[in-house]
Amino acid sequence: MSVEQIVAIVDPISSGAGLAAVFHRQGVKTVAVMNPGLPTCLSSSFRPSDFIQVIHYNGNLDETVGVLSTLSLCAVVAGSEPGVELADALSERLGLRTNGTRQSDARRNKYHMQEALRAAKVRAIGQFQSENVEELVAWAENYDNYPVVVKPVRSAGTDGVSLCYSSEDIRKAYDAIISKPNLLGEVNTWVLVQEYLRGTEYVVDTVSRDGQHHVAGYWCYDKRRINGSAFVYYGLTLLESQGETQDALKTYIFTVLDVLGIRNGPAHSEIMITPTGPCLVETGARMMGDKGPSMTSAAVGYGQLELTADVYLSGTFFAEVFGKPYVLKKYVHESFFVSQTQGLLKQSFPLAKFKSMPAYFSHAFLVEAGNVLEKTIDLMTSPGRIVWIHESKDVIRACEDALREMEENGMYELLQDGEEALTQAKVSPRQVEASVPMTA
């Protein structure tokens, strides 16, 4: 008689909400372990019906280990960024496949992450952290290479990230961060100032098993200077698996994963190719957020979702594809909506028109008619996005061009504009989940 297998997923939200279904297809049941204090904008993607049990972590590790010890667990997996440290601690205590806790902080804290690389003589960002704004200003003035980047020590996406050209910019960015809750529901107690990396930003999604690393996807970001912000998401494209740039990214990120102790499970890494070579922006010891893993699966046939589940089970599929470049069966591009106006949106976005386009795959609309539309300055204020998938790059490009033309010609027509609308209305993009599930 076979023994029932159960996997615990810590904070199965955003892309991690899709992990349970993959395990279920392998005949494995799932339980959820939920951290306290997750903001509604994140926890709204959680699907309790996917789990035979939901365990609410109250800060007592021994108690949670005790509960999980009564189950026939075969793995503990981080389902999202907030769950990384708890997944490390639980998997280590339970004697399961783990990255351990010795470097957990360096896998979540952006400052410690870069310092770990520097200590290992791996290219890292010049930086300084402090609770005191004048110390941050003093470092930047001494660094003498404006602009600099100011951001929270722990968060995700472009939450709280500012490009600062002067000491006054740093003070404004600091005031917007310190003692404020970040995207992950944590209060910012430290602020980080870093050198500004010039170059092209890429993403490398990996999955590892026992220290062997495999690339599940290479992506290229298109972030633009819009509405006074330097880091507005405009597009994201899945790249071919082979090329000179990909080779440089792979060599660099595999070293980074070793330094950060990511030996098992997924990682989502943002890397800038600078004139002096690759440099890490940050790594998350979890899958790419939102629909990234499923986008890869649709284009390749498999991706981080399938590989992540497999490395915590038999590892058979991981061994089969390990070291082999993936092959794009279709091309993928994600378009982020960019609003250059603000007020109350007059009409909902034209879904039927988008669905009629040949490359349409899925969408996420974060603003509806009558809701507040903000000027897009970061990922949180983007009012929506569409994923295009097609065998032809030209078809995808035509769909993207059609979207941008619609943005310029009435898609963001307002009922009311200005600050009055923003203060009167009850709903805004910042109140909707940044990784809101996309709908096909």
Side-chain angles (χ1 to χ4, degrees), residues 55-84:
I55 300 165
H56 293 280
Y57 180 64
N58 62 6
N60 188 325
L61 185 65
D62 290 338
E63 181 179 307
T64 304
V65 168
V67 173
L68 293 174
S69 295
T70 66
L71 306 173
S72 54
L73 280 189
C74 61
V76 177
V77 184
S80 59
E81 185 69 18
V84 167

Side-chain angles (χ1 to χ4, degrees), residues 227-379:
N227 294 326
S229 174
F231 306 106
V232 173
Y233 285 80
Y234 198 81
L236 179 66
T237 302
L238 181 62
L239 304 178
E240 301 278 0
S241 61
Q242 294 178 288
E244 187 176 333
T245 297
Q246 289 88 328
D247 290 345
L249 289 167
K250 180 170 69 172
T251 299
Y252 177 79
I253 199 56
F254 283 6
T255 300
V256 168
L257 297 177
D258 289 340
V259 170
L260 297 178
I262 300 177
R263 294 179 47 78
N264 292 290
H268 172 67
S269 305
E270 297 174 349
I271 303 166
M272 193 75 75
I273 294 288
T274 74
T276 59
C279 183
L280 184 73
V281 177
E282 58 189 59
T283 287
R286 40 80 180 178
M287 294 189 300
M288 185 181 192
D290 195 29
K291 288 294 183 179
S294 60
M295 288 158 59
T296 307
S297 298
V300 177
Y302 65 91
Q304 270 191 319
L305 273 168
E306 295 81 7
L307 287 168
T308 295
D310 185 71
V311 299
Y312 287 103
L313 298 176
S314 69
T316 302
F317 182 56
F318 179 83
E320 179 184 327
V321 302
F322 177 72
K324 298 176 182 177
Y326 62 82
V327 177
L328 290 182
K329 299 175 182 177
K330 297 181 180 180
Y331 297 102
V332 179
H333 180 79
E334 184 172 16
S335 299
F336 297 88
F337 291 9
V338 177
S339 166
Q340 300 195 48
T341 187
Q342 61 185 22
L344 297 184
L345 188 65
K346 184 175 182 178
Q347 57 189 5
S348 295
F349 300 134
L351 178 58
K353 188 166 186 177
F354 289 133
K355 284 191 170 183
S356 71
M357 296 182 184
Y360 170 86
F361 178 74
S362 62
H363 72 277
F365 295 161
L366 280 71
V367 183
E368 298 178 352
N371 290 166
V372 168
L373 176 74
E374 296 184 63
K375 286 185 179 180
T376 305
I377 58 171
D378 55 18
L379 184 60

